[in-house]
Structure formats: C-alpha cells, structure tokens
C-alpha cells in the first residue's frame, strides 16, 4: 500500500500559477505510472495528467499546454506545474497510481478566482 500527501494548493487569480507536490511513501517501488486527478464540488474525479517512471506523459485536453507533470523518482515525489490558471481549474487535486488506484490522500485545494 502507498500513501500520498499532496501540497501546494491555494488561492490564485486567473492567469496565475501554482506548483503542486505529492510525496509518496510505502511500497512505491511497484509504481510505474503516476497521475494527478482533480475533483470539483458535485463533479466526478477526472484524470488531469500522468507520467511513467521513464518520463512519458499524457495530459487531459483541458490542461494541455498549461500544465506540466514531473516526477522525481529518487525522492518519490510527483509535481504538477500549473500555469495560465482558469476558474474552471478550481478543484481538489489528488495524486495516485494510474490504473491501480491506491487509497486517496486528502488532496490539495486549488481555487482560481476570475
């Protein structure tokens, strides 16, 4: 089992930037692809971006060109650089293993004001 602790969220105006971090602990040796998800109130949790241990990335169309996912394998840490933020990016952001989901962390709140 892997545990995740997300951080870096906050309140930002439209057009601003935030960098999210996710510290993973536990059986992290088995994780190939990690991912960021987000969930707005009353909405389902959606995949935002994913990255393999080798650095291969995928992005949701809604964030492509604005968000960058990165991982530091030595530190078992996942990052999400978010630029040109829009109000529709407002959500709680979570990290997890892609495909084989582990228990969810608390997430980190991102609020983008117009």
């Amino acid at each position: 089992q892997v545990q995740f602790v997300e951080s870096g969220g906050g309140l930002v105006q439209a057009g601003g930037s935030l960098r999210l971090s996710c510290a993973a602990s536990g059986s992290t040796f088995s994780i190939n692809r990690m991912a960021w998800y987000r969930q707005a109130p009353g909405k389902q949790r959606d995949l935002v971006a994913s990255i393999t241990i080798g650095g291969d990335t995928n992005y949701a169309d809604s964030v492509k060109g604005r968000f960058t996912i990165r991982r530091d394998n030595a530190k078992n840490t996942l990052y999400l650089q978010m630029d040109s933020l829009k109000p529709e990016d407002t959500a709680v952001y979570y990290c997890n293993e892609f495909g084989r989901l582990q228990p969810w962390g608390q997430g980190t709140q991102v609020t983008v004001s117009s």
Side-chain angles (χ1 to χ4, degrees):
Q1 182 170 297
V2 182
Q3 295 79 46
F4 303 105
V5 179
E6 300 92 346
S7 62
L11 175 64
V12 65
Q13 293 185 341
S17 298
L18 286 172
R19 187 181 70 172
L20 308 184
S21 298
C22 169
S25 62
S27 302
T28 59
F29 67 91
S30 64
I31 299 179
N32 176 40
R33 183 180 289 271
M34 293 187 66
W36 284 99
Y37 299 81
R38 66 185 181 185
Q39 186 171 32
K43 304 294 184 180
Q44 66 180 8
R45 193 172 349 231
D46 293 325
L47 178 66
V48 176
S50 66
I51 183 170
T52 68
I53 194 168
D56 186 32
T57 59
N58 283 289
Y59 296 91
D61 289 341
S62 60
V63 307
K64 190 171 297 184
R66 300 188 297 118
F67 291 10
T68 303
I69 188 172
R70 186 176 67 85
R71 67 190 292 174
D72 186 331
N73 295 320
K75 295 183 178 296
N76 296 129
T77 302
L78 184 70
Y79 302 95
L80 185 67
Q81 177 66 45
M82 305 184 295
D83 299 316
S84 302
L85 282 162
K86 304 175 180 179
E88 50 262 46
D89 295 318
T90 295
V92 178
Y93 285 71
Y94 303 86
C95 62
N96 212 314
E97 181 175 358
F98 178 85
R100 190 179 67 176
L101 293 174
Q102 304 297 316
W104 297 100
Q106 295 299 306
T108 185
Q109 176 71 52
V110 172
T111 303
V112 184
S113 62
S114 60

mmCIF file of all heavy atoms in Angstrom, residues 30-67:
data_model
loop_
_atom_site.group_PDB
_atom_site.id
_atom_site.type_symbol
_atom_site.label_atom_id
_atom_site.label_comp_id
_atom_site.label_asym_id
_atom_site.label_seq_id
_atom_site.Cartn_x
_atom_site.Cartn_y
_atom_site.Cartn_z
ATOM 1 N N SER A 30 6.778 -0.339 -6.715
ATOM 2 C CA SER A 30 5.951 -1.020 -7.709
ATOM 3 C C SER A 30 5.221 -0.080 -8.655
ATOM 4 O O SER A 30 4.554 -0.546 -9.581
ATOM 5 C CB SER A 30 4.930 -1.921 -7.014
ATOM 6 O OG SER A 30 4.027 -1.160 -6.232
ATOM 7 N N ILE A 31 5.324 1.219 -8.452
ATOM 8 C CA ILE A 31 4.573 2.180 -9.252
ATOM 9 C C ILE A 31 5.320 2.513 -10.538
ATOM 10 O O ILE A 31 6.457 2.974 -10.503
ATOM 11 C CB ILE A 31 4.288 3.470 -8.460
ATOM 12 C CG1 ILE A 31 3.450 3.160 -7.221
ATOM 13 C CG2 ILE A 31 3.584 4.477 -9.353
ATOM 14 C CD1 ILE A 31 3.149 4.368 -6.365
ATOM 15 N N ASN A 32 4.665 2.283 -11.659
ATOM 16 C CA ASN A 32 5.210 2.678 -12.947
ATOM 17 C C ASN A 32 4.691 4.051 -13.369
ATOM 18 O O ASN A 32 5.468 4.986 -13.557
ATOM 19 C CB ASN A 32 4.886 1.647 -14.019
ATOM 20 C CG ASN A 32 5.368 2.082 -15.390
ATOM 21 O OD1 ASN A 32 6.455 2.645 -15.534
ATOM 22 N ND2 ASN A 32 4.567 1.819 -16.415
ATOM 23 N N ARG A 33 3.369 4.161 -13.535
ATOM 24 C CA ARG A 33 2.765 5.410 -13.956
ATOM 25 C C ARG A 33 2.010 6.054 -12.799
ATOM 26 O O ARG A 33 1.159 5.422 -12.174
ATOM 27 C CB ARG A 33 1.805 5.191 -15.129
ATOM 28 C CG ARG A 33 1.185 6.454 -15.678
ATOM 29 C CD ARG A 33 0.245 6.144 -16.835
ATOM 30 N NE ARG A 33 0.965 5.731 -18.031
ATOM 31 C CZ ARG A 33 1.402 6.562 -18.965
ATOM 32 N NH1 ARG A 33 1.215 7.875 -18.839
ATOM 33 N NH2 ARG A 33 2.035 6.074 -20.021
ATOM 34 N N MET A 34 2.318 7.307 -12.532
ATOM 35 C CA MET A 34 1.613 8.085 -11.530
ATOM 36 C C MET A 34 0.786 9.160 -12.207
ATOM 37 O O MET A 34 1.028 9.501 -13.369
ATOM 38 C CB MET A 34 2.577 8.706 -10.525
ATOM 39 C CG MET A 34 3.274 7.694 -9.646
ATOM 40 S SD MET A 34 4.244 8.471 -8.331
ATOM 41 C CE MET A 34 2.927 9.223 -7.355
ATOM 42 N N ALA A 35 -0.183 9.692 -11.481
ATOM 43 C CA ALA A 35 -1.115 10.616 -12.103
ATOM 44 C C ALA A 35 -1.632 11.642 -11.119
ATOM 45 O O ALA A 35 -1.650 11.420 -9.909
ATOM 46 C CB ALA A 35 -2.293 9.853 -12.713
ATOM 47 N N TRP A 36 -2.056 12.768 -11.659
ATOM 48 C CA TRP A 36 -2.812 13.777 -10.940
ATOM 49 C C TRP A 36 -4.268 13.693 -11.369
ATOM 50 O O TRP A 36 -4.566 13.562 -12.559
ATOM 51 C CB TRP A 36 -2.288 15.189 -11.216
ATOM 52 C CG TRP A 36 -1.024 15.523 -10.503
ATOM 53 C CD1 TRP A 36 0.236 15.488 -11.003
ATOM 54 C CD2 TRP A 36 -0.902 15.976 -9.148
ATOM 55 N NE1 TRP A 36 1.146 15.879 -10.054
ATOM 56 C CE2 TRP A 36 0.477 16.183 -8.903
ATOM 57 C CE3 TRP A 36 -1.814 16.219 -8.123
ATOM 58 C CZ2 TRP A 36 0.963 16.627 -7.666
ATOM 59 C CZ3 TRP A 36 -1.336 16.654 -6.892
ATOM 60 C CH2 TRP A 36 0.038 16.853 -6.685
ATOM 61 N N TYR A 37 -5.152 13.761 -10.402
ATOM 62 C CA TYR A 37 -6.584 13.817 -10.624
ATOM 63 C C TYR A 37 -7.125 15.081 -9.964
ATOM 64 O O TYR A 37 -6.486 15.651 -9.087
ATOM 65 C CB TYR A 37 -7.294 12.607 -10.019
ATOM 66 C CG TYR A 37 -6.878 11.269 -10.588
ATOM 67 C CD1 TYR A 37 -5.718 10.641 -10.144
ATOM 68 C CD2 TYR A 37 -7.647 10.627 -11.547
ATOM 69 C CE1 TYR A 37 -5.335 9.410 -10.651
ATOM 70 C CE2 TYR A 37 -7.274 9.395 -12.055
ATOM 71 C CZ TYR A 37 -6.120 8.795 -11.601
ATOM 72 O OH TYR A 37 -5.754 7.567 -12.111
ATOM 73 N N ARG A 38 -8.320 15.492 -10.373
ATOM 74 C CA ARG A 38 -8.959 16.610 -9.701
ATOM 75 C C ARG A 38 -10.460 16.378 -9.633
ATOM 76 O O ARG A 38 -11.042 15.691 -10.470
ATOM 77 C CB ARG A 38 -8.655 17.943 -10.391
ATOM 78 C CG ARG A 38 -9.230 18.108 -11.795
ATOM 79 C CD ARG A 38 -8.757 19.424 -12.397
ATOM 80 N NE ARG A 38 -9.294 19.655 -13.727
ATOM 81 C CZ ARG A 38 -8.956 20.674 -14.505
ATOM 82 N NH1 ARG A 38 -8.055 21.568 -14.067
ATOM 83 N NH2 ARG A 38 -9.499 20.808 -15.711
ATOM 84 N N GLN A 39 -11.072 16.973 -8.619
ATOM 85 C CA GLN A 39 -12.498 16.821 -8.408
ATOM 86 C C GLN A 39 -13.083 18.138 -7.924
ATOM 87 O O GLN A 39 -12.704 18.642 -6.869
ATOM 88 C CB GLN A 39 -12.787 15.712 -7.397
ATOM 89 C CG GLN A 39 -14.261 15.406 -7.229
ATOM 90 C CD GLN A 39 -14.493 14.170 -6.384
ATOM 91 O OE1 GLN A 39 -13.713 13.877 -5.480
ATOM 92 N NE2 GLN A 39 -15.548 13.444 -6.682
ATOM 93 N N ALA A 40 -13.999 18.689 -8.701
ATOM 94 C CA ALA A 40 -14.727 19.882 -8.325
ATOM 95 C C ALA A 40 -15.979 19.473 -7.559
ATOM 96 O O ALA A 40 -16.474 18.349 -7.720
ATOM 97 C CB ALA A 40 -15.086 20.700 -9.558
ATOM 98 N N PRO A 41 -16.526 20.359 -6.727
ATOM 99 C CA PRO A 41 -17.729 20.016 -5.968
ATOM 100 C C PRO A 41 -18.864 19.547 -6.876
ATOM 101 O O PRO A 41 -19.180 20.197 -7.872
ATOM 102 C CB PRO A 41 -18.087 21.324 -5.264
ATOM 103 C CG PRO A 41 -16.786 22.034 -5.124
ATOM 104 C CD PRO A 41 -16.029 21.697 -6.387
ATOM 105 N N GLY A 42 -19.466 18.422 -6.533
ATOM 106 C CA GLY A 42 -20.563 17.888 -7.309
ATOM 107 C C GLY A 42 -20.163 17.226 -8.608
ATOM 108 O O GLY A 42 -21.041 16.810 -9.376
ATOM 109 N N LYS A 43 -18.874 17.118 -8.873
ATOM 110 C CA LYS A 43 -18.392 16.523 -10.112
ATOM 111 C C LYS A 43 -17.601 15.256 -9.822
ATOM 112 O O LYS A 43 -17.154 15.019 -8.708
ATOM 113 C CB LYS A 43 -17.519 17.513 -10.884
ATOM 114 C CG LYS A 43 -18.175 18.839 -11.194
ATOM 115 C CD LYS A 43 -19.340 18.675 -12.153
ATOM 116 C CE LYS A 43 -19.930 20.018 -12.529
ATOM 117 N NZ LYS A 43 -21.079 19.871 -13.461
ATOM 118 N N GLN A 44 -17.421 14.451 -10.844
ATOM 119 C CA GLN A 44 -16.622 13.252 -10.710
ATOM 120 C C GLN A 44 -15.144 13.606 -10.685
ATOM 121 O O GLN A 44 -14.738 14.686 -11.108
ATOM 122 C CB GLN A 44 -16.906 12.284 -11.859
ATOM 123 C CG GLN A 44 -16.467 12.780 -13.221
ATOM 124 C CD GLN A 44 -16.765 11.793 -14.330
ATOM 125 O OE1 GLN A 44 -17.436 10.777 -14.117
ATOM 126 N NE2 GLN A 44 -16.276 12.063 -15.521
ATOM 127 N N ARG A 45 -14.351 12.672 -10.190
ATOM 128 C CA ARG A 45 -12.911 12.856 -10.179
ATOM 129 C C ARG A 45 -12.357 12.527 -11.560
ATOM 130 O O ARG A 45 -12.581 11.436 -12.074
ATOM 131 C CB ARG A 45 -12.281 11.962 -9.110
ATOM 132 C CG ARG A 45 -10.853 12.323 -8.825
ATOM 133 C CD ARG A 45 -10.237 11.592 -7.633
ATOM 134 N NE ARG A 45 -11.121 10.860 -6.792
ATOM 135 C CZ ARG A 45 -11.172 10.973 -5.466
ATOM 136 N NH1 ARG A 45 -10.380 11.822 -4.832
ATOM 137 N NH2 ARG A 45 -12.008 10.225 -4.760
ATOM 138 N N ASP A 46 -11.629 13.465 -12.148
ATOM 139 C CA ASP A 46 -11.128 13.319 -13.505
ATOM 140 C C ASP A 46 -9.611 13.259 -13.529
ATOM 141 O O ASP A 46 -8.931 13.887 -12.721
ATOM 142 C CB ASP A 46 -11.585 14.481 -14.388
ATOM 143 C CG ASP A 46 -13.080 14.493 -14.617
ATOM 144 O OD1 ASP A 46 -13.683 13.410 -14.719
ATOM 145 O OD2 ASP A 46 -13.654 15.596 -14.713
ATOM 146 N N LEU A 47 -9.096 12.528 -14.494
ATOM 147 C CA LEU A 47 -7.660 12.450 -14.706
ATOM 148 C C LEU A 47 -7.164 13.746 -15.330
ATOM 149 O O LEU A 47 -7.731 14.231 -16.309
ATOM 150 C CB LEU A 47 -7.334 11.268 -15.610
ATOM 151 C CG LEU A 47 -5.864 11.060 -15.969
ATOM 152 C CD1 LEU A 47 -5.062 10.681 -14.729
ATOM 153 C CD2 LEU A 47 -5.729 9.986 -17.041
ATOM 154 N N VAL A 48 -6.113 14.299 -14.778
ATOM 155 C CA VAL A 48 -5.524 15.538 -15.276
ATOM 156 C C VAL A 48 -4.285 15.258 -16.114
ATOM 157 O O VAL A 48 -4.135 15.768 -17.226
ATOM 158 C CB VAL A 48 -5.165 16.484 -14.118
ATOM 159 C CG1 VAL A 48 -4.456 17.737 -14.640
ATOM 160 C CG2 VAL A 48 -6.414 16.860 -13.338
ATOM 161 N N ALA A 49 -3.382 14.459 -15.581
ATOM 162 C CA ALA A 49 -2.133 14.163 -16.262
ATOM 163 C C ALA A 49 -1.511 12.926 -15.642
ATOM 164 O O ALA A 49 -1.781 12.596 -14.489
ATOM 165 C CB ALA A 49 -1.163 15.346 -16.172
ATOM 166 N N SER A 50 -0.676 12.253 -16.396
ATOM 167 C CA SER A 50 0.029 11.085 -15.893
ATOM 168 C C SER A 50 1.445 11.067 -16.428
ATOM 169 O O SER A 50 1.753 11.704 -17.439
ATOM 170 C CB SER A 50 -0.703 9.790 -16.259
ATOM 171 O OG SER A 50 -0.698 9.579 -17.660
ATOM 172 N N ILE A 51 2.300 10.318 -15.740
ATOM 173 C CA ILE A 51 3.701 10.224 -16.138
ATOM 174 C C ILE A 51 4.253 8.878 -15.711
ATOM 175 O O ILE A 51 3.995 8.407 -14.605
ATOM 176 C CB ILE A 51 4.522 11.386 -15.535
ATOM 177 C CG1 ILE A 51 5.968 11.337 -16.017
ATOM 178 C CG2 ILE A 51 4.447 11.378 -14.011
ATOM 179 C CD1 ILE A 51 6.759 12.586 -15.662
ATOM 180 N N THR A 52 5.007 8.240 -16.597
ATOM 181 C CA THR A 52 5.643 6.976 -16.270
ATOM 182 C C THR A 52 6.954 7.224 -15.546
ATOM 183 O O THR A 52 7.457 8.345 -15.484
ATOM 184 C CB THR A 52 5.911 6.145 -17.529
ATOM 185 O OG1 THR A 52 6.919 6.810 -18.322
ATOM 186 C CG2 THR A 52 4.644 5.980 -18.360
ATOM 187 N N ILE A 53 7.516 6.150 -15.026
ATOM 188 C CA ILE A 53 8.789 6.266 -14.331
ATOM 189 C C ILE A 53 9.881 6.726 -15.290
ATOM 190 O O ILE A 53 10.868 7.338 -14.869
ATOM 191 C CB ILE A 53 9.161 4.929 -13.662
ATOM 192 C CG1 ILE A 53 10.292 5.117 -12.649
ATOM 193 C CG2 ILE A 53 9.535 3.888 -14.718
ATOM 194 C CD1 ILE A 53 10.510 3.905 -11.769
ATOM 195 N N GLY A 54 9.691 6.468 -16.576
ATOM 196 C CA GLY A 54 10.641 6.907 -17.581
ATOM 197 C C GLY A 54 10.396 8.297 -18.123
ATOM 198 O O GLY A 54 11.185 8.789 -18.944
ATOM 199 N N GLY A 55 9.299 8.942 -17.710
ATOM 200 C CA GLY A 55 9.040 10.309 -18.111
ATOM 201 C C GLY A 55 8.047 10.496 -19.242
ATOM 202 O O GLY A 55 7.864 11.624 -19.713
ATOM 203 N N ASP A 56 7.405 9.437 -19.695
ATOM 204 C CA ASP A 56 6.384 9.555 -20.728
ATOM 205 C C ASP A 56 5.124 10.169 -20.125
ATOM 206 O O ASP A 56 4.621 9.683 -19.111
ATOM 207 C CB ASP A 56 6.075 8.182 -21.316
ATOM 208 C CG ASP A 56 5.125 8.243 -22.488
ATOM 209 O OD1 ASP A 56 5.159 9.240 -23.231
ATOM 210 O OD2 ASP A 56 4.348 7.284 -22.670
ATOM 211 N N THR A 57 4.598 11.233 -20.739
ATOM 212 C CA THR A 57 3.492 11.983 -20.156
ATOM 213 C C THR A 57 2.249 11.966 -21.022
ATOM 214 O O THR A 57 2.317 11.805 -22.249
ATOM 215 C CB THR A 57 3.884 13.448 -19.913
ATOM 216 O OG1 THR A 57 4.259 14.057 -21.155
ATOM 217 C CG2 THR A 57 5.056 13.533 -18.947
ATOM 218 N N ASN A 58 1.102 12.152 -20.371
ATOM 219 C CA ASN A 58 -0.178 12.343 -21.028
ATOM 220 C C ASN A 58 -0.945 13.407 -20.267
ATOM 221 O O ASN A 58 -0.857 13.487 -19.050
ATOM 222 C CB ASN A 58 -0.986 11.041 -21.077
ATOM 223 C CG ASN A 58 -0.501 10.088 -22.136
ATOM 224 O OD1 ASN A 58 -0.675 10.333 -23.314
ATOM 225 N ND2 ASN A 58 0.111 8.992 -21.716
ATOM 226 N N TYR A 59 -1.711 14.215 -21.008
ATOM 227 C CA TYR A 59 -2.465 15.300 -20.414
ATOM 228 C C TYR A 59 -3.897 15.300 -20.906
ATOM 229 O O TYR A 59 -4.170 14.968 -22.062
ATOM 230 C CB TYR A 59 -1.847 16.660 -20.760
ATOM 231 C CG TYR A 59 -0.464 16.871 -20.216
ATOM 232 C CD1 TYR A 59 0.653 16.535 -20.968
ATOM 233 C CD2 TYR A 59 -0.275 17.414 -18.950
ATOM 234 C CE1 TYR A 59 1.926 16.730 -20.474
ATOM 235 C CE2 TYR A 59 0.995 17.612 -18.446
ATOM 236 C CZ TYR A 59 2.098 17.266 -19.217
ATOM 237 O OH TYR A 59 3.361 17.467 -18.719
ATOM 238 N N ALA A 60 -4.809 15.693 -20.030
ATOM 239 C CA ALA A 60 -6.164 15.957 -20.461
ATOM 240 C C ALA A 60 -6.157 17.148 -21.409
ATOM 241 O O ALA A 60 -5.353 18.074 -21.258
ATOM 242 C CB ALA A 60 -7.060 16.242 -19.262
ATOM 243 N N ASP A 61 -7.049 17.123 -22.389
ATOM 244 C CA ASP A 61 -7.096 18.207 -23.367
ATOM 245 C C ASP A 61 -7.297 19.571 -22.702
ATOM 246 O O ASP A 61 -6.778 20.581 -23.178
ATOM 247 C CB ASP A 61 -8.203 17.957 -24.382
ATOM 248 C CG ASP A 61 -7.883 16.826 -25.333
ATOM 249 O OD1 ASP A 61 -6.694 16.466 -25.470
ATOM 250 O OD2 ASP A 61 -8.821 16.291 -25.953
ATOM 251 N N SER A 62 -8.030 19.592 -21.613
ATOM 252 C CA SER A 62 -8.359 20.848 -20.964
ATOM 253 C C SER A 62 -7.158 21.541 -20.330
ATOM 254 O O SER A 62 -7.209 22.746 -20.065
ATOM 255 C CB SER A 62 -9.443 20.628 -19.903
ATOM 256 O OG SER A 62 -9.001 19.712 -18.920
ATOM 257 N N VAL A 63 -6.086 20.801 -20.079
ATOM 258 C CA VAL A 63 -4.914 21.382 -19.429
ATOM 259 C C VAL A 63 -3.676 21.344 -20.304
ATOM 260 O O VAL A 63 -2.638 21.911 -19.924
ATOM 261 C CB VAL A 63 -4.610 20.689 -18.088
ATOM 262 C CG1 VAL A 63 -5.840 20.681 -17.200
ATOM 263 C CG2 VAL A 63 -4.093 19.270 -18.311
ATOM 264 N N LYS A 64 -3.762 20.719 -21.443
ATOM 265 C CA LYS A 64 -2.601 20.584 -22.317
ATOM 266 C C LYS A 64 -2.080 21.957 -22.717
ATOM 267 O O LYS A 64 -2.840 22.830 -23.134
ATOM 268 C CB LYS A 64 -2.968 19.757 -23.546
ATOM 269 C CG LYS A 64 -1.782 19.358 -24.413
ATOM 270 C CD LYS A 64 -2.201 18.347 -25.484
ATOM 271 C CE LYS A 64 -2.694 17.055 -24.856
ATOM 272 N NZ LYS A 64 -3.024 16.019 -25.875
ATOM 273 N N GLY A 65 -0.782 22.134 -22.593
ATOM 274 C CA GLY A 65 -0.159 23.400 -22.907
ATOM 275 C C GLY A 65 -0.089 24.348 -21.738
ATOM 276 O O GLY A 65 0.628 25.356 -21.809
ATOM 277 N N ARG A 66 -0.813 24.063 -20.669
ATOM 278 C CA ARG A 66 -0.819 24.920 -19.486
ATOM 279 C C ARG A 66 -0.208 24.235 -18.267
ATOM 280 O O ARG A 66 0.399 24.900 -17.436
ATOM 281 C CB ARG A 66 -2.240 25.364 -19.147
ATOM 282 C CG ARG A 66 -2.920 26.149 -20.261
ATOM 283 C CD ARG A 66 -4.250 26.738 -19.791
ATOM 284 N NE ARG A 66 -5.207 25.691 -19.423
ATOM 285 C CZ ARG A 66 -5.711 25.535 -18.202
ATOM 286 N NH1 ARG A 66 -5.354 26.358 -17.221
ATOM 287 N NH2 ARG A 66 -6.583 24.565 -17.952
ATOM 288 N N PHE A 67 -0.393 22.931 -18.144
ATOM 289 C CA PHE A 67 0.108 22.172 -17.009
ATOM 290 C C PHE A 67 1.282 21.304 -17.439
ATOM 291 O O PHE A 67 1.339 20.833 -18.579
ATOM 292 C CB PHE A 67 -0.976 21.254 -16.430
ATOM 293 C CG PHE A 67 -2.111 21.960 -15.742
ATOM 294 C CD1 PHE A 67 -2.276 23.331 -15.813
ATOM 295 C CD2 PHE A 67 -3.026 21.219 -15.012
ATOM 296 C CE1 PHE A 67 -3.324 23.969 -15.175
ATOM 297 C CE2 PHE A 67 -4.083 21.842 -14.364
ATOM 298 C CZ PHE A 67 -4.233 23.214 -14.445
#
